Amino acid sequence: MSAAYKVSLRTPILRSFSTTLTNSASISSSAPRFTPQLTSTHARLTRLHQQPTFKSFRPFHSTTAKMVHIGDTIPSLEVLTENSPATKVNLGQELQGAGKALIIGVPAAFSPSCSATHVPGYINNKNLKSAGKVFVVSVNDPFVMKAWGLTLDPKGDSGVRFLGDPTGQFTEALDLSFDAAAIFGGPRSKRYALVVEDGKVTEAHVEPDNTGVDVSAAEKVLG
């Protein structure tokens, strides 16, 4: 077989192979390019993943809790104690339809301002009897509250009752607790005085700085 014949046999094959390569290149150049789209999609997914979408969920409270105010009903809870843990007092039930009452909240039994100024101011006030039932409430155990009451009013002539809120639940229900860890080791009650009529708050005197004796002082509440 001659060299010329060999070339003539290979020529169609080479031409076909060349055509195939040319067509492949043409298809490749005309095919859609997915890389930019994939890159863009990946970027969007990354941004979505990084967004703090959890902030839109509020599983328990959709609004900020509000401190007790005029018109509120005194919480009906079996958490307050008087003289011993076994003696429970439910102020919500006791004051319902009971006429006038006064609830005095203090940060701590035996603390200086509470013992020297705030509570004695009520015990010795000439208008105390016109306030109806009077209660002093503190986040303390009932034994401490009993001992404190005997110190301030040994004979009990004033009629003021000293109640412990050992778990702080009553105070929290009024939204009147504050972080007193630096002074008392844990949450305590703001200083306040609530004037109550038939179980509902008619006046709320809450100290803006939590512990001062100003707006809740006896002379400003009772006159």
Side-chain angles (χ1 to χ4, degrees), residues 71-75 90-103 131-133 135 194-203:
D72 284 351
T73 300
I74 298 301
N90 186 326
L91 283 184
Q93 290 182 358
E94 183 171 336
L95 299 181
Q96 185 66 39
K100 293 182 178 181
L102 178 64
I103 304 174
K133 294 184 175 183
F135 308 87
L194 302 180
V195 179
V196 181
E197 182 81 29
D198 294 329
K200 291 186 179 294
V201 177
T202 58
E203 296 179 30

